[in-house]
Amino acid sequence: EHFVHPYRDLHAPLHPRTVQVKGYRTLEEIIAIFTQKLRAIVDLRRETRGIGLVEYNHLLRCAASMGNGKMASTVWAQMEADHVEPNLESYNHLLESLVWDGALTGLERHRLRVSPFYYRKRRFYDTPGFQGFGTGARSVRKQVQDVFNRMASRGIHGDASTFIHLFLASARVGYVIGMKAVLKTAWNLDVDQLLRDPGQHPPLIEYDRSSPYFPTEDLLFAIAHGFGVNSNMTAAFQTIDFFSKQYQID
């Protein structure tokens, strides 16, 4: 939140060409410096007292906040080599890293819309500007689903954040059926019914505010982003409005 997020927010409206012309330090450079220092700290910590679940979760959280799927996968492999058992927080950070891999820096963040052109570009890793999350044979949805299945096999139940990542993973590859299925399973929202006749839609599942499944502003953003990049603005507006009224979320 201190070393990366402020710069990420400042760079959000800037095109990489603008950054170059103005002579600003790129977000990639800022993240690289942070990652280098983080690696040095981890190496020292490992030499002296070792690192456990808390440290690994923090590293995964850093990877998620930077949209660095490769770093998250490396940390996960090290965690397994050290026989450290992951928990729900670990899995959620890994899922977030995969969903937002490469989508926060450079031209990648301007190329998130789902279209036949972008889908083809993301099928191959060596395509400049499309080297983050993938489609086709390297589908991010399949990666996220595999992680979720491993998580379930260990008896770890997901929460609202888990379902958000599953929803966005489907959105990344244009799998609208999967997006709707997640909303139906977790909160009993039938998007098709809502679009046909909002007045006849049954109430959503009633969760207490302390429930791990109670939706937050993060879910509203995910809905806006997921349906938005798939160019379904009607579903985005209707679903956000229905969720916000049902759960009293601004």
Side-chain angles (χ1 to χ4, degrees):
E1 284 80 3
H2 179 76
F3 294 104
V4 175
H5 285 193
Y7 296 100
R8 197 179 72 185
D9 295 340
L10 287 170
H11 276 261
L14 300 178
H15 192 276
R17 179 61 179 167
T18 303
V19 175
Q20 182 182 14
V21 170
K22 294 290 187 179
Y24 300 147
R25 180 183 292 176
T26 66
L27 184 58
E28 291 89 337
E29 291 174 331
I30 294 170
I31 287 178
I33 293 172
F34 172 73
T35 305
Q36 183 181 13
K37 293 181 178 179
L38 187 65
R39 185 181 296 113
I41 293 170
V42 171
D43 290 342
L44 287 171
R45 180 80 171 227
R46 191 185 292 277
E47 291 175 2
T48 54
R49 52 179 292 185
I51 59 176
L53 180 60
V54 173
E55 289 83 4
Y56 274 120
N57 278 347
H58 184 73
L59 291 173
L60 289 169
R61 183 181 172 199
C62 290
S65 71
M66 296 185 292
N68 193 332
K70 184 176 181 180
M71 173 182 170
S73 298
T74 300
V75 171
W76 195 270
Q78 292 173 344
M79 186 164 62
E80 290 184 333
D82 289 343
H83 305 289
V84 176
E85 284 290 325
N87 58 10
L88 176 59
E89 181 183 353
S90 312
Y91 279 105
N92 276 340
H93 289 322
L94 178 61
L95 292 172
E96 184 178 355
S97 302
L98 295 173
V99 168
W100 290 95
D101 183 27
L104 298 174
T105 58
L107 287 172
E108 286 271 6
R109 69 183 189 276
H110 299 285
R111 295 171 173 173
L112 302 183
R113 188 162 304 280
V114 180
S115 69
F117 175 78
Y118 280 8
Y119 189 93
R120 286 195 301 271
K121 285 285 188 180
R122 289 192 176 278
R123 290 181 63 186
F124 308 101
Y125 181 78
D126 58 351
T127 307
F130 297 91
Q131 296 179 359
F133 66 88
T135 59
R138 63 185 201 99
S139 168
V140 63
R141 186 183 75 85
K142 294 177 183 177
Q143 295 175 6
V144 166
Q145 190 64 51
D146 287 344
V147 172
F148 178 75
N149 291 340
R150 295 205 308 267
M151 175 178 132
S153 68
R154 289 187 171 183
I156 299 176
H157 300 289
D159 59 7
S161 294
T162 310
F163 283 106
I164 286 174
H165 302 322
L166 289 170
F167 174 85
L168 287 176
S170 292
R172 287 277 182 260
V173 297
Y175 189 54
V176 179
I177 294 176
M179 296 164 60
K180 295 177 179 178
V182 171
L183 297 179
K184 177 68 175 176
T185 301
W187 294 283
N188 194 38
L189 180 87
D190 188 330
V191 177
D192 295 327
Q193 170 67 35
L194 184 65
L195 295 179
R196 281 196 306 269
D197 190 353
Q200 296 300 315
H201 194 289
L204 301 180
I205 298 176
E206 187 175 342
Y207 290 117
D208 187 82
R209 284 193 174 270
S210 61
S211 169
Y213 299 105
F214 191 86
T216 64
E217 292 177 358
D218 291 339
L219 176 61
L220 298 188
F221 168 79
I223 291 170
H225 180 74
F227 284 116
V229 298
N230 281 278
S231 304
N232 193 339
M233 299 308 295
T234 303
F237 283 123
Q238 292 270 51
T239 307
I240 288 173
D241 185 60
F242 198 71
F243 258 106
S244 64
K245 288 179 179 177
Q246 290 277 313
Y247 292 107
Q248 297 180 349
I249 307 171
D250 290 335

